[in-house]
Amino acid sequence: MKIGDLAEATGTTPKTIRFYEQAGVLPEPVRTASGYRDYGTEFVARLMFIRRAQAARLSLREIRQVLAIHDRGDVPCGHVRGVLTERLDNVRAQIAELVTLEAHLEALLAHARGGEPTEHDSAGVCWILETDPAGASDVIEVAGSGPVG
């Protein structure tokens, strides 16, 4: 089948298919005598696998690793289980960080509703961020920016 047919069958685009070939997750197909790519039905299954792996937020590197294990004749499910476990742990850590950030932002907004700056305000830029809201003396860590609070 031609690249357009494969794209239609898998809900992708020809550009995406060519990208996957360059990224090493989809092998280059044989070419017809006239130079067109000629994809076999096995490409449909492989592309659907790639799309499902991406839906689980696996990187192209991780997908390439899984497919390499499969292509050498081994069953990659143990490897996939490990990758998914690590991904879930990362998601849970991000959720915990977001919950902490949410509480901090709520405390700052409650603090902002509780008072207005005066002309004797000693804040350098904005009193809301420069004074500690009640109960928000904890320092929180925002990913990539260091301690805040």
Side-chain angles (χ1 to χ4, degrees):
M1 83 181 81
K2 291 184 180 176
I3 194 167
D5 298 328
L6 179 61
E8 186 176 327
T10 57
T12 59
T13 65
K15 183 177 180 179
T16 299
I17 293 169
R18 285 189 291 273
F19 172 77
Y20 287 154
E21 288 173 6
Q22 291 173 350
V25 293
L26 196 63
E28 291 232 8
V30 296
R31 296 218 178 228
T32 64
S34 55
Y36 289 103
R37 290 173 167 92
D38 188 18
Y39 296 92
T41 55
E42 68 278 7
F43 282 86
V44 174
R46 192 166 181 117
L47 268 171
M48 297 307 290
F49 173 82
I50 293 166
R51 295 192 65 203
R52 287 188 178 115
Q54 286 186 314
R57 297 295 190 253
L58 269 66
S59 68
L60 286 177
R61 180 185 59 79
E62 292 166 327
I63 295 169
R64 206 172 18 255
Q65 289 172 342
V66 170
L67 290 170
I69 293 168
H70 172 267
D71 291 347
R72 70 175 182 241
D74 295 329
V75 178
C77 296
H79 179 75
V80 169
R81 190 175 301 113
V83 170
L84 293 176
T85 298
E86 184 177 334
R87 175 80 60 231
L88 182 58
D89 290 345
N90 290 337
V91 166
R92 287 178 174 153
Q94 289 173 338
I95 289 170
E97 287 177 15
L98 289 172
V99 167
T100 300
L101 177 59
E102 177 186 34
H104 182 68
L105 293 172
E106 286 174 346
L108 287 171
L109 287 170
H111 178 58
R113 286 188 294 274
E116 292 293 324
T118 66
E119 63 182 72
H120 301 294
D121 182 9
S122 62
V125 177
C126 177
W127 66 275
I128 298 169
L129 295 173
E130 294 177 24
T131 57
D132 287 330
S137 60
D138 298 355
V139 174
I140 64 167
E141 183 79 24
V142 176
S145 66
V148 247

